[in-house]
Amino acid sequence: MEQSIVGEIKEELHLSGLDPKSYSPLGLAYIGDAIYEVIIRTIVLSEGNMSVNKYHRKSSSMVKASAQAQLFEKIEPLLTEQEMAVYKRGRNAKSATVAKNADVIDYRKATGVEALMGYLYLNGEMKRAVSLVGAGLGSGEEHEA
């Protein structure tokens, strides 16, 4: 069986810990933000060669809080009980900041999605994270901004 990305990182760098259950929802969202961004950037890159500015514009439109909130609405029925619990913990976490271009409801939903992505990544379930993002974006469809 192929090792997970986080497993490879832990092994190669001799890291201990990284149990997703031991982190706060905002800690999970911290790493989940990066994981979500990598998934989105991979999708955008797959659309072919273009200027870096165009890559950035396309990916930015897909990672903003309102886009993540819309993604959640599509994947909610697909979530397991555990995944929903992680999402809710992230959504309900009290953050010290709010994105300047997002309303509070979208920002909280986005934090929940990022917490879920972080949880799945740390739990070695990257395939599930990618599957959920694909379902939320409509796998197989064009991912136009």
Side-chain angles (χ1 to χ4, degrees), residues 61-132:
S61 72
M62 296 170 76
V63 299
K64 64 185 178 182
S66 60
Q68 289 184 30
Q70 289 174 352
L71 180 126
F72 170 73
E73 298 301 327
K74 293 177 183 172
I75 67 170
E76 182 178 11
L78 307 174
L79 298 181
T80 66
E81 193 174 306
Q82 176 63 36
E83 291 167 346
M84 192 64 178
V86 170
Y87 164 80
K88 286 180 179 178
R89 284 181 50 225
R91 181 198 63 197
N92 295 336
K94 301 294 184 233
S95 177
T97 61
V98 175
K100 60 186 172 198
N101 296 320
D103 71 30
V104 175
I105 293 170
D106 284 351
Y107 186 75
R108 287 184 178 237
K109 285 182 178 181
T111 303
V113 168
E114 291 168 353
L116 175 59
M117 293 295 120
Y119 173 84
L120 292 171
Y121 166 72
L122 291 177
N123 209 36
E125 298 181 64
M126 192 64 183
K127 187 173 184 175
R128 175 68 172 158
V130 172
S131 174
L132 287 172

Side-chain angles (χ1 to χ4, degrees), residues 37-80:
E37 179 90 23
V38 166
I39 295 168
I40 295 301
R41 285 184 181 206
T42 303
I43 291 167
V44 170
L45 197 67
S46 77
E47 294 176 1
N49 229 344
M50 61 186 83
S51 71
V52 173
N53 186 34
K54 193 166 183 181
Y55 283 139
H56 176 71
R57 281 196 320 267
K58 284 183 152 232
S59 63
S60 292
S61 72
M62 296 170 76
V63 299
K64 64 185 178 182
S66 60
Q68 289 184 30
Q70 289 174 352
L71 180 126
F72 170 73
E73 298 301 327
K74 293 177 183 172
I75 67 170
E76 182 178 11
L78 307 174
L79 298 181
T80 66

